[in-house]
Each structure stands twice: as C-alpha cells, then as structure tokens.
Amino acid sequence: MTKRAYNFNAGPAALPLEVLERAQAEFVDFHNTGMSIMEMSHRGKVYEGVHNEAITRLLSLLGNPEGYKVLFLQGGASTQFAMIPMNFLSEGKVAAYVHSGSWADKAIKEAKLLGETTVLASSAADKFMTIPNLSDVVIPENAAYVHITSNETIEGTQYQTYPETGNVPLIVDMSSDILSRKLDITQFDLIYAGAQKNLGPSGVTIVIAKEELLNESPKGVPSMLRYDTHLSNNSLYNTPPAFSVYMVNEVLKWVEEQGGIEGVEANNRKKASLIYDTIDNSDGFYRGPVDLASRSIMNITFRLTSEELENKFIKESEQEGFVGLKGHRSVGGLRASIYNAVPYDSCKALTDFMVRFQKDNG
C-alpha cells in the first residue's frame, strides 16, 4: 500500500488506521490461540472475554449510566425499525415519530405496518433541510414511545438538542453520530446504531437501553426479534458477528486513546468547521443547503451551480484519491461524511482541493 485513500464514504466508512493495523497483526493468531477470532466458538472464554470487554468499555465511555444494558444484534438499524414497534407498540397505544428525513421516513413506514403511528412533527415543507421544531409538540397521552433520528446522513442534518418526553420513552436512531459528541445518555430510554459509521465494520448493531424497557417483550414476537431474548442471553442466544464485535472493541479502545468522547468531539468540530468555512467563504461557488442551526458535524452536504460542475468535481476528486464525495442518489449534490475515524488531514486535503477547484472553475 503506497497511500491511503481520502475516505469520505457514508457507510461502510473509514476505520482508524491504528485499529486496522492491530486487527491485521492479530488476524491469524488471536492471543496465541492458534486461531483467528473468526474461527473460535462464541461459547468459549476467549471470545466471551472480548464480547464482555466491549460492553464494559462502551458503557464506561458513556459514563456508566445506571440501569442501562448493551446488546449486540444483527440486521442493521433497518431491522430495529421493525423490532421497536414489535416490542413496544401494544394495542391501544400509538407510536410517535419525528420525520426529519430519509432514515426517519423508513422507520415510520415500518411502524405503520405494525400498529397505529403518528408523526409529531416534520420538516418535509423545508425539504428536510432543517431539524423539525419540537417546541410546541404535544405528545399523545397513549404514546408508546417517541422516536427520533439524531443525524440524517442523506440530507446532512443533526439534532443540536433533544426533546423532553416525560414518562414516554424516547428512542433514537443514532447510527451516524453515536460517540461523535458528548451526550447525557440518561435522556434516552433506548439508543440503536448500526456499527458501520462510527463504531466498527458492518455486521453488528448496537442497542443501549434501560434494562426495564428490554425485560418483557410480547409473547407473540418471534424469539430472534425479542429484546428480552438477547438481554437474558447476553447477546449470545445465537452466533454473534464475532469479528465485528471484536472490531467494535478495538475502535472503543481507540476512542479512549483520543481522550474519550470529549477528545473525539473536539476533533470532529474542528474538521466540520474547516469544511463549512470553505463552503461559506466561497462567494457562492459552493452552497450548503442545510439550515445553519441544523448542520451535521458528521455528514456535510453541499452543492455547486450545476450538475455538470458537480460531476466534474467528482471526477477530478477521484483522480486525486478522494472517495465517497458523491451525494446520495435520492438528493444528488455532494457529501463529505467525516465520521470519527476520518483524519483531520483528509479534511484539510479536501478543502485544499475545493479551493483549487474553485480557482480553476469559478
């Protein structure tokens, strides 16, 4: 390998180079067992040690909130879209959702298949370029839960503050910004996140939730789709994605080495400011469509004056080693996903390219 790509993929996304190198060194022979961790039994002490270490490390980074449990599940966040109403939306209750963009929309559609669902607020009128205003939202008395999507990867929006839901459980899809900034985890009753953006490779989905919420799933829900099945078996009811869990543990070690979530957040905000400043100071050559108060520090979306120019930007950036800058097919434009593992130097290289491109094409 002569040079690492400037990886701005939206997911699966960049992993820390240090983590990849550690995994490479341990891949064939894990801890002198004569086996890769992918070859060993998930019932054995060696794998269970890694499994439990990852759980302990994640809770520690989150401040060891009392009464919370971690589950390692499969099927991505998309399976959680269905599991949540299957487990929590009982007869006579309504599932309350905030519609903030593409991923919230997918969650809402799944819930509607399983029970009564209402949309508390939506930013559709703003083409999802803002986070919905929740100041005047009235939560139904019979709400089973309130569901939000903390960061919309496609549109490039992110919650800056979270709603107060009182006694109604607050559930959040945090797939694309988990561990990116300091949060009070006790604000949430359940957090779920696909690992493939900030936590590790694809294959494992993390659920962090209050134990009381996970304890009793409806008896008619199939075993593999019941939270209490996985809680009572420490996420070892069936064969877990062992290598993905191992990689999550290694990424969590890396987060600790960066100074914890506080250190990671400081770097993320520095990276985001660098790129947003380049957009905002371009005299209109680059345009950030997202409302300033809703901008994501994980997924930076921007446009040029024409699709032709955007296509030229993509082509020339790829020639210089940049990957993943094309916007999602549903919205077009350009997008730089700058998750935790994307180095500041990659963001600096991107802004240098953006300045050169403007000079040549402005």
Side-chain angles (χ1 to χ4, degrees):
M1 183 179 67
T2 57
K3 182 182 179 182
R4 293 273 291 167
Y6 298 123
N7 187 353
F8 293 95
N9 276 326
L15 287 164
L17 178 59
E18 299 94 323
V19 169
L20 294 172
E21 290 173 339
R22 289 174 197 166
Q24 182 184 47
E26 295 183 328
F27 188 75
V28 174
D29 185 4
F30 184 70
H31 291 191
N32 297 315
T33 60
M35 295 179 287
S36 170
I37 196 165
M38 293 198 297
E39 299 177 283
M40 59 184 60
S41 170
H42 63 291
R43 305 294 181 192
K45 289 184 179 180
V46 175
Y47 172 73
E48 283 200 41
V50 172
H51 185 98
N52 293 329
E53 186 179 308
I55 292 172
T56 300
R57 181 165 275 114
L58 178 55
L59 289 173
S60 176
L61 283 166
L62 297 173
N64 288 313
E66 186 175 352
Y68 283 76
K69 295 293 184 179
V70 173
L71 303 180
F72 293 134
L73 305 181
Q74 298 177 63
S78 296
T79 298
Q80 295 304 302
F81 297 162
M83 277 186 71
I84 288 163
M86 289 175 78
N87 282 266
F88 305 133
L89 182 53
S90 57
E91 187 174 350
K93 293 284 189 176
V94 58
Y97 283 75
V98 177
H99 193 350
S100 54
S102 300
W103 290 107
D105 185 60
K106 291 178 183 292
I108 292 166
K109 286 177 178 176
E110 290 297 292
K112 286 181 176 179
L113 296 174
L114 295 159
E116 185 180 353
T117 303
T118 187
V119 175
L120 295 178
S122 172
S123 52
D126 299 321
K127 297 183 179 179
F128 301 114
M129 291 297 103
T130 64
I131 290 296
N133 182 1
L134 303 180
S135 59
D136 298 324
V137 163
V138 177
I139 300 171
E141 290 185 6
N142 65 334
Y145 57 83
V146 172
H147 179 285
I148 62 175
T149 306
S150 63
N151 185 86
E152 289 283 1
T153 63
I154 292 175
E155 289 81 9
T157 61
Q158 186 177 38
Y159 280 79
Q160 306 306 314
T161 59
Y162 292 96
E164 295 288 340
T165 58
N167 293 325
V168 178
L170 179 59
I171 294 175
V172 55
D173 176 359
M174 211 172 276
S175 293
S176 52
D177 65 348
I178 191 169
L179 297 190
S180 68
R181 55 184 176 165
K182 190 72 174 176
L183 295 173
D184 178 6
I185 297 301
T186 62
Q187 291 179 276
F188 312 103
D189 295 82
L190 186 149
I191 293 167
Y192 65 97
Q196 68 275 11
K197 300 176 188 293
N198 266 343
L199 290 171
S202 59
V204 62
T205 303
I206 313 296
V207 171
I208 307 160
K210 290 182 178 177
E211 185 173 6
E212 61 195 46
L213 194 64
L214 301 174
N215 256 328
E216 293 187 18
S217 300
K219 302 306 179 186
V221 176
S223 297
M224 276 295 291
L225 297 173
R226 297 165 58 95
Y227 287 115
D228 60 2
T229 296
H230 300 287
L231 177 66
S232 62
N233 289 277
N234 192 30
S235 302
L236 294 167
Y237 176 75
N238 69 319
T239 306
F243 187 74
S244 294
V245 173
Y246 156 76
M247 287 292 287
V248 167
N249 191 41
E250 293 302 314
V251 170
L252 296 175
K253 290 178 186 177
W254 176 84
V255 172
E256 291 174 341
E257 293 162 1
Q258 308 313 302
I261 298 176
E262 294 90 341
V264 167
E265 178 177 4
N267 192 46
N268 285 336
R269 294 197 180 279
K270 186 179 176 184
K271 294 185 299 184
S273 293
L274 180 67
I275 299 173
Y276 280 125
D277 286 349
T278 302
I279 294 169
D280 295 341
N281 295 326
S282 68
D283 295 324
F285 185 81
Y286 299 107
R287 178 176 60 86
V290 173
D291 179 76
L292 292 178
S294 298
R295 281 178 163 179
S296 170
I297 63 169
M298 293 283 95
N299 307 98
I300 299 176
T301 54
F302 57 104
R303 302 301 301 254
L304 292 171
T305 53
S306 69
E307 286 190 24
E308 181 182 7
L309 200 55
E310 289 171 352
N311 290 334
K312 185 177 182 184
F313 182 98
I314 293 296
K315 182 178 180 180
E316 293 187 11
S317 68
E318 289 175 347
Q319 290 171 349
E320 294 202 24
F322 293 91
V323 176
L325 291 173
K326 187 175 183 178
H328 191 272
R329 61 187 179 277
S330 64
V331 297
L334 303 163
R335 173 178 58 178
S337 295
I338 56 169
Y339 302 123
N340 291 353
V342 175
Y344 178 86
D345 288 349
S346 291
C347 297
K348 181 63 168 63
L350 174 59
T351 57
D352 289 344
F353 171 78
M354 291 170 70
V355 170
R356 291 196 308 273
F357 188 83
Q358 179 179 357
K359 183 178 179 181
D360 295 340
N361 296 276

